[in-house]
């Protein structure tokens, strides 16, 4: 019986994460269109059909509708479903990695990291679609960084201050020297994330971002889907590195420094 209740609680945590990332889907869809993300009913972008409550259940509604709008039959992007799945997995991972708080759901440390991952998801997908990283996302991460000063005291203020500059300043210099090398949104993203995560994790995040971007670029060049002078959004790859760094960037940084 206890094991069954524990399983139900973990399923509940998964769906809590999926619900939050379902809202992130709304942000991803509406923000680039200039629509409010808090006003107005959710609707089909093709026919305008307002979604009923039964069509708004994360994951379940997508499966029940067969991935199509109930009115016009247009396909709902599988990406929406994957974003919600990622949210559920992220919440569970944060609960496992950072522990369960007094509420029995997640600790405050885990909540901060989960919200950070939610913002990164919005950054990654919107940047992929539009090559824009909105300043409001930098502000949100900055607010989380302020809260992290108290919740993650093991990351010193010196480490946070160095993290603020160690990646963003070289990126800025390179962007000035080579126009188009980095976007302003990428630079500001690494600055605020450096304050949140500390310099060791931020350096690792940049390395991971460059590695994954390089792999993507290599594959696209091999398939002749990208030219050598073509540009692509770097934000999604930075988001991947930052998400990994939120869990193990500091540990990897300490491990590497111990080898020197």
């Amino acid at each position: 019986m206890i094991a069954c209740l524990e399983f139900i609680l973990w399923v509940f945590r998964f769906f809590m994460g999926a619900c939050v990332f379902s809202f992130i889907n709304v942000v991803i869809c509406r923000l680039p269109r200039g629509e409010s993300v808090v006003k107005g009913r959710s609707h089909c972008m093709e026919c305008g059909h307002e979604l009923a409550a039964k069509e708004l259940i994360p994951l379940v509604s997508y499966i029940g509708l067969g991935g199509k709008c109930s009115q016009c039959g247009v396909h709902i992007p599988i990406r929406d479903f994957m974003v919600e799945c990622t949210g559920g997995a992220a919440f569970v991972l944060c609960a496992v990695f950072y522990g369960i708080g007094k509420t029995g759901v997640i600790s405050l440390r885990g909540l901060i990291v989960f919200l950070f991952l939610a913002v990164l998801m919005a950054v990654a997908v919107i940047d992929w679609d539009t090559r824009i990283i909105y300043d409001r996302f930098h502000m949100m991460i900055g607010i989380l960084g302020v809260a992290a000063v108290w919740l993650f005291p093991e990351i010193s203020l010196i480490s946070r201050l160095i993290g603020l500059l160690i990646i963003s300043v070289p990126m800025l210099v390179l962007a000035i020297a080579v126009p188009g090398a980095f976007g302003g949104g990428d630079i500001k993203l690494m600055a605020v994330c450096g304050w949140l995560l500390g310099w060791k994790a931020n350096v690792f995040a940049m390395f991971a971002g460059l590695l994954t971007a390089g792999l993507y670029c290599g594959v696209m060049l091999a398939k002749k889907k990208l030219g050598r002078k073509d540009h692509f959004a770097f934000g999604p790859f930075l988001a991947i590195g930052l998400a990994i760094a939120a869990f193990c960037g500091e540990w990897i940084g300490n491990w590497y420094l111990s080898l020197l």
Side-chain angles (χ1 to χ4, degrees):
M1 178 61 72
I2 294 178
C4 181
L5 291 175
E6 186 69 16
F7 174 77
I8 292 173
L9 186 55
W10 281 108
V11 171
F12 172 73
R13 292 181 182 119
F14 181 88
F15 271 96
M16 283 191 67
C19 286
V20 173
F21 273 54
S22 182
F23 174 73
I24 295 299
N25 267 330
V26 174
V27 174
I28 290 168
C29 185
R30 294 189 185 183
L31 193 58
R33 295 170 179 260
E35 300 180 15
S36 171
V37 300
V38 294
K39 295 180 180 179
R41 293 281 301 274
S42 294
H43 57 276
C44 172
M45 291 299 173
E46 188 69 22
C47 68
H49 163 65
E50 290 190 353
L51 304 184
K54 65 180 181 180
E55 297 174 286
L56 293 171
I57 305 171
L59 304 176
V60 176
S61 293
Y62 184 93
I63 296 172
L65 292 169
K68 298 179 182 180
C69 173
S70 62
Q71 295 298 309
C72 67
V74 70
H75 283 279
I76 303 169
I78 186 64
R79 186 175 72 182
D80 292 1
F81 181 80
M82 297 307 297
V83 166
E84 292 175 352
C85 282
T86 302
F91 197 93
V92 169
L93 181 59
C94 288
V96 171
F97 198 89
Y98 289 102
I100 307 300
K102 294 180 179 179
T103 60
V105 179
I106 196 171
S107 66
L108 284 177
R109 286 164 63 97
L111 180 62
I112 289 294
V113 175
F114 173 72
L115 293 176
F116 176 54
L117 297 178
V119 176
L120 287 180
M121 176 61 78
V123 166
V125 179
I126 291 177
D127 191 35
W128 184 265
D129 290 342
T130 66
R131 293 180 61 187
I132 296 172
I133 301 178
Y134 293 95
D135 285 340
R136 66 192 69 189
F137 295 135
H138 303 128
M139 294 173 61
M140 292 175 186
I141 294 173
I143 292 171
L144 294 176
V146 172
V149 172
W150 285 273
L151 293 172
F152 294 84
E154 65 271 22
I155 303 175
S156 68
L157 287 177
I158 295 298
S159 178
R160 296 183 188 278
L161 288 171
I162 295 174
L164 187 70
L165 304 172
I166 195 170
I167 299 297
S168 59
V169 170
M171 288 176 73
L172 177 61
V173 172
L174 188 57
I176 294 172
V178 184
F182 295 107
D186 297 330
I187 297 169
K188 288 181 280 187
L189 178 67
M190 295 309 289
V192 293
C193 288
W195 173 264
L196 173 63
L197 300 174
W199 75 268
K200 296 174 187 175
N202 211 36
V203 169
F204 167 78
M206 186 63 178
F207 171 77
L210 289 171
L211 179 62
T212 52
L215 291 172
Y216 167 78
C217 190
V219 171
M220 291 297 103
L221 285 171
K223 291 184 176 181
K224 296 183 179 180
K225 293 184 177 181
L226 274 180
R228 294 185 180 276
K229 294 185 179 180
D230 288 340
H231 294 274
F232 58 90
F234 189 38
F237 303 100
L238 289 176
I240 292 171
L242 289 163
I244 298 171
F247 294 99
C248 58
E250 185 81 6
W251 178 84
I252 292 175
N254 289 329
W255 169 78
Y256 178 73
L257 290 175
S258 70
L259 299 178
L260 300 179

